[in-house]
Amino acid sequence: MAVIISGLQTGNTRWLARHLQNTVDNETIELAEVTGTVATDIDGALAEMDALCAGTMAKEGVYAAFINPPQPLTREQFMRAIALIEERLGLTGQPRVVLFHVKNGRHHCHVVWSRIDIERMKAIHLSHDRQKLRKCAQLLAAEFGLPLPNGLKNDRGAERYADPELAKRPTRAEKAQAKNSGITLDERRAAITEAWGTADSADSFRNGLEELGFLLAKGDRRAFVVVDLAGDVHALVRQIEGAKTKDVAKKLEGLNLSLLPSVERAKLLMLQRAAAAQDIARERLKKDAAAEAGRNSLFAAQKARKLQLDLQWQTMKIRHMHERTVLLAHFMAERQRLLARRKWQAVGLALYLKKIAFLRELLRYQEVRQTKYRRSIEALHQQLDDSMKKRHDNEVAEVQRRYDALRRLDKLEIKSLSQAQINVHMRTTWLGHDGGDHDGEMALGVKVARSRAHLDKEFDQYDHIRRSRANRSSTATQARYHRTHAHIRQNGIDITDDPASKWLPLQRRQVQAMVSAKIVEEFRANGADLTRRSWHRSQGSRGPHPTPPRV
């Protein structure tokens, strides 16, 4: 593994500031350097860079680089890498922010530069930055004695895009989807591949996906897509190992496309199911001691961080009060001196000298000068007061800006922690380890697919299909289905005749049994009553309920 250097241009400085300071995703955060800006904190420095960008036609005013070495480097080595990147990209001398993170034991560095050249008030053009960063990684690996992977050893040019291994690597969007859903790309592909291998028809494949927690839908640009519980859309062909587009089209050619939901409809259905599962997960998290300890630890860290800002606020307020007191004392001393001068002119020797004509004119001239001087002194005092008030207001606005940034960061950290805790329960339920709504089908699919990958020659596909079908018709499987049906009834989950329903295989079996027993009308009445009660519960206390949808 070699030094990985990546970068991007962005204009969303608020998101970048929150991302760099998120203590939930990072074990430690160290602000090493802020240069070229008046502000000394991350939010203030990025806000200044954003203000510089506002004076130009550029939309992306900063460039953020990420330096991830295979082993911890010294600060001198990191600074050498930063200097090399600056030289290659033409960002030398630009305002920058340097941070060091430790995430899951991995030491890495983040650098943010301003792209705006202040002298010309134009953005520095960054062309072919990926290739330049690639060259920097090669030079740094040679300088620091780090190994290089095959992709960096040989510059294959356009040939590297023909590498079949490249197509299997997750994209940045797929990594974000895995973070949102809590399910990795390999696990999702293994499960869908297993459902594809065990299905003998298009309908059985669709039912298998529904049992595993996926939904087959009609794509906007592709014929078939898969939607997961997180509402993310995935191309079906990319999720099946070894399958091609023509193979998928041939196997699913008998599928009635009118029965498949659209992408928007499928996302809505899956998000509704995910919301129900997340509500259950939140109720469990309230009773989880470990989750409560994690939340308390985060709240304590946020409280300590806010306390530091509160101390700065109090120190600033005390300093402002002291400065106003000193300035007021200076004003009062000046006024007392002027009043004493006027009193001396009104009585005593000044009053006697006014009787002499020449001296009277001289004293009158002196009074006019003193009046002008007094007015100029009052104007000066007013300027000093306005100047100090403006400076105090600017300092208050600066601290208030830090409070606002801190509130945004706290909100992001709470959301990240809550999502991470919920994903653990969602993943447990999805994999079926706790007898959740999928009853372990996902875990079985992942296990079988991985076994087939490791023991390809010993894996008997037909024997596995035979045993899988026999297991589905067993008494234990039927009992699991009944437990699942009771679970969705107790939690108020709607059972409809929509083909996109995840519970369609169970419903079809029940309908067939009821048809044979001639109690179809009773089933429809019970289903309509269940849907109506669940729909009314979802409406809450929003006033009179309209007529619920017909089942």
Side-chain angles (χ1 to χ4, degrees), residues 7 9 63 88-89 125-136:
Q9 302 177 38
Y63 187 83
R88 291 280 175 168
L89 296 180
H125 185 60
L126 299 175
S127 59
H128 308 290
D129 59 314
R130 294 183 62 184
Q131 296 300 324
K132 294 176 182 178
L133 294 179
R134 176 186 174 92
K135 187 63 177 179
C136 289

Side-chain angles (χ1 to χ4, degrees), residues 228-248:
D228 59 16
L229 272 177
D232 294 325
V233 182
H234 312 279
L236 178 60
V237 179
R238 285 181 57 89
Q239 310 306 312
I240 303 175
E241 296 288 345
K244 298 181 179 179
T245 304
K246 60 180 181 180
D247 300 333
V248 175

Side-chain angles (χ1 to χ4, degrees), residues 40-60:
T40 58
D41 62 306
I42 299 176
D43 294 278
L46 295 184
E48 288 186 33
M49 296 180 187
D50 201 15
L52 287 177
C53 180
T56 66
M57 298 296 292
K59 296 182 179 179
E60 297 175 338

Side-chain angles (χ1 to χ4, degrees), residues 199-211 216 251-256 259-260 472 504-505 508:
D200 55 357
S201 64
D203 291 332
S204 63
F205 175 63
R206 183 185 62 182
N207 296 337
L209 287 179
E210 292 174 355
E211 292 178 357
L216 189 63
K251 190 169 186 176
L252 301 181
E253 61 183 359
L255 192 63
N256 189 356
L259 298 179
L260 295 181
R472 290 186 179 183
L504 191 56
R508 285 174 177 170

Side-chain angles (χ1 to χ4, degrees), residues 148-385:
L148 278 175
N150 294 330
L152 288 175
K153 281 183 181 179
N154 305 318
D155 291 328
R156 297 176 294 170
E159 296 179 359
R160 66 179 182 273
Y161 296 108
D163 188 357
E165 295 296 329
L166 183 64
K168 298 181 180 179
R169 297 176 185 173
T171 62
R172 182 174 295 178
E174 290 173 337
K175 291 180 180 179
Q177 290 173 348
K179 183 178 180 180
N180 293 333
S181 63
I183 306 300
T184 63
L185 176 63
D186 294 335
E187 289 174 337
R188 184 175 66 248
R189 284 179 176 175
I192 297 179
T193 301
E194 176 60 23
W196 175 265
T198 56
D200 55 357
S201 64
D203 291 332
S204 63
F205 175 63
R206 183 185 62 182
N207 296 337
L209 287 179
E210 292 174 355
E211 292 178 357
L212 292 176
F214 299 102
L215 200 58
L216 189 63
K218 294 180 294 186
D220 298 330
R221 293 179 298 174
R222 303 176 180 87
F224 302 102
V225 295
V226 176
V227 184
D228 59 16
L229 272 177
D232 294 325
V233 182
H234 312 279
L236 178 60
V237 179
R238 285 181 57 89
Q239 310 306 312
I240 303 175
E241 296 288 345
K244 298 181 179 179
T245 304
K246 60 180 181 180
D247 300 333
V248 175
K250 182 177 180 180
K251 190 169 186 176
L252 301 181
E253 61 183 359
L255 192 63
N256 189 356
L257 294 180
S258 62
L259 298 179
L260 295 181
S262 62
V263 173
E264 296 300 326
R265 171 66 175 165
K267 289 172 64 176
L268 179 61
L269 288 173
M270 298 305 285
L271 289 176
Q272 289 175 348
R273 296 167 189 169
Q278 288 178 358
D279 291 340
I280 299 174
R282 290 189 182 93
E283 293 298 325
R284 293 182 180 180
L285 286 175
K286 293 180 181 178
K287 305 176 182 179
D288 192 340
E292 184 68 20
R295 290 193 295 270
N296 292 336
S297 176
L298 176 62
F299 293 154
Q302 291 179 346
K303 186 177 180 180
R305 187 170 55 195
K306 184 176 180 295
L307 180 60
Q308 295 180 358
L309 194 57
D310 291 340
L311 292 176
Q312 295 181 14
W313 175 271
Q314 294 176 4
T315 304
M316 179 193 66
K317 283 297 185 181
I318 293 174
R319 179 171 51 82
H320 288 179
M321 185 183 303
H322 176 70
E323 290 177 353
R324 285 195 297 268
T325 303
V326 171
L327 188 62
L328 181 60
H330 175 70
F331 291 166
M332 292 299 295
E334 288 284 343
R335 291 188 183 120
Q336 290 292 340
R337 188 174 64 84
L338 292 175
L339 288 175
R341 180 70 177 177
R342 291 175 62 185
K343 184 178 180 181
W344 177 84
Q345 292 175 352
V347 296
L349 181 62
L351 184 61
Y352 173 76
L353 293 177
K354 284 184 180 180
K355 296 180 180 180
I356 304 173
F358 172 74
L359 294 178
R360 184 168 59 247
E361 293 298 328
L362 183 62
L363 290 173
R364 187 177 300 170
Y365 172 74
Q366 187 67 18
E367 288 177 1
V368 171
R369 288 188 59 186
Q370 288 179 358
T371 302
K372 293 181 179 180
Y373 174 74
R374 184 174 64 253
R375 291 176 180 174
S376 63
I377 286 294
E378 292 176 354
L380 176 62
H381 289 177
Q382 186 64 38
Q383 290 178 1
L384 290 176
D385 186 67

Side-chain angles (χ1 to χ4, degrees), residues 25-39:
D25 294 342
N26 300 280
E27 299 170 10
T28 62
I29 299 176
E30 177 187 353
L31 179 59
E33 179 184 312
V34 178
T35 57
T37 59
V38 177

